[in-house]
Amino acid sequence: MGREFVEIFDEWVHTYDESVNGNDEEYRDVFLKYNEILQAVAEAAIGPVIEFGVGTGNLAEKLLEQGFQVVGIEPNQAMRQVTAQKMPNLTVIDGDFLEFETPISAQSFVSSYAFHHLTDAEKARAFQIYAEKLPSGGKVIFADTVFDTEQSKQEMIAFEQARGHFNLVEDLNREYYTTIPKLKELIIKAGFTVNLSKMNNYVFLIEATKI
């Protein structure tokens, strides 16, 4: 993930689970159906699995429940510590979407609520890396915020501004939320087929399969 955002998660680490469980009104729509979204990622994966941005371990937990061998990649030290306490048997190593070790022969790369930390150019480079590391039929399954168009993104920002959700508006303006056409283009160019399924008003399940 974009390393410029790593320190933000020093603040999020203590409140993240509360937010994703719907206890933060400002982010409630973003995390609507959170557990269903994570379950959809886990059910779409094939193992072994590498997870980017493992955070507090919520997706990793569901992947382990599915019986997968899992390695977590997490650039934030505080998040790694939280996950180590929750799941001491899970291997979590320092890394990000672009620079990471592959201690297992992954069949899937997965992530939730993190790919937007990369610019479109970085997203394109990431999928080129995944294409090199995955076998034919290997999968990338990301759940992340994507907008239909740039106009719809600006309309959502205006909507949240009117609701007084100023922290969310700051996030939407600061980070690199892309559009469906741009995302599909870069994924296909890297040698994948791709399908997007809308999970809530913000989040899509992005399922890409290497040709």
Side-chain angles (χ1 to χ4, degrees):
M1 65 174 41
R3 291 276 176 162
E4 67 268 34
F5 297 110
V6 167
E7 292 182 0
I8 293 173
F9 290 91
D10 290 335
E11 304 170 15
W12 269 85
V13 67
H14 302 294
T15 60
Y16 187 76
D17 284 345
E18 182 178 346
S19 294
V20 301
N21 287 319
N23 295 321
D24 185 336
E25 173 65 29
E26 186 165 4
Y27 288 88
R28 187 167 294 166
D29 288 351
V30 177
F31 292 114
L32 187 66
K33 300 181 180 178
Y34 178 72
N35 285 312
E36 292 178 33
I37 291 168
L38 299 193
Q39 189 64 37
V41 174
E43 291 180 356
I46 54 176
V49 181
I50 288 179
E51 180 192 353
F52 298 108
V54 69
T56 58
N58 297 325
L59 176 54
E61 189 171 23
K62 292 190 179 297
L63 291 164
L64 292 171
E65 289 172 356
Q66 294 285 115
F68 291 126
Q69 180 185 9
V70 182
V71 170
I73 308 291
E74 172 56 57
N76 182 273
Q77 183 178 3
M79 288 289 195
R80 291 198 302 272
Q81 291 172 343
V82 168
T83 304
Q85 292 172 357
K86 289 172 66 175
M87 290 178 286
N89 294 326
L90 177 68
T91 298
V92 182
I93 58 178
D94 186 15
D96 56 59
F97 282 107
L98 298 172
E99 297 182 3
F100 58 95
E101 297 178 9
T102 52
I104 56 175
S105 298
Q107 298 287 315
S108 296
F109 294 126
V110 305
S111 184
S112 61
Y113 290 86
F115 200 49
H116 58 269
H117 295 304
L118 273 63
T119 65
D120 284 348
E122 289 171 332
K123 290 183 180 74
R125 184 152 59 92
F127 267 90
Q128 291 166 0
I129 293 169
Y130 308 154
E132 293 173 0
K133 292 183 178 292
L134 286 171
S136 179
K139 300 177 76 173
V140 179
I141 307 104
F142 289 165
D144 200 33
T145 294
V146 187
F147 292 96
D148 292 321
T149 64
E150 184 62 31
Q151 180 179 345
S152 65
K153 174 183 173 180
Q154 296 306 319
E155 289 172 352
M156 184 63 81
I157 290 172
F159 173 71
E160 297 292 2
Q161 180 80 29
R163 297 171 80 188
H165 293 169
F166 303 122
N167 291 323
L168 177 54
V169 168
E170 182 181 1
D171 291 343
L172 292 171
N173 280 317
R174 175 183 56 208
E175 301 179 25
Y176 307 118
Y177 298 97
T178 194
T179 63
I180 290 174
K182 288 180 182 177
L183 185 62
K184 283 186 172 180
E185 179 184 8
L186 67 87
I187 292 174
I188 291 169
K189 187 175 181 179
F192 293 81
T193 61
V194 60
N195 182 63
L196 276 73
S197 304
K198 191 169 187 177
M199 304 300 290
N200 64 32
N201 285 337
Y202 280 93
V203 175
F204 283 80
L205 180 69
I206 304 154
E207 186 173 353
T209 304
K210 183 181 173 183
I211 298 171

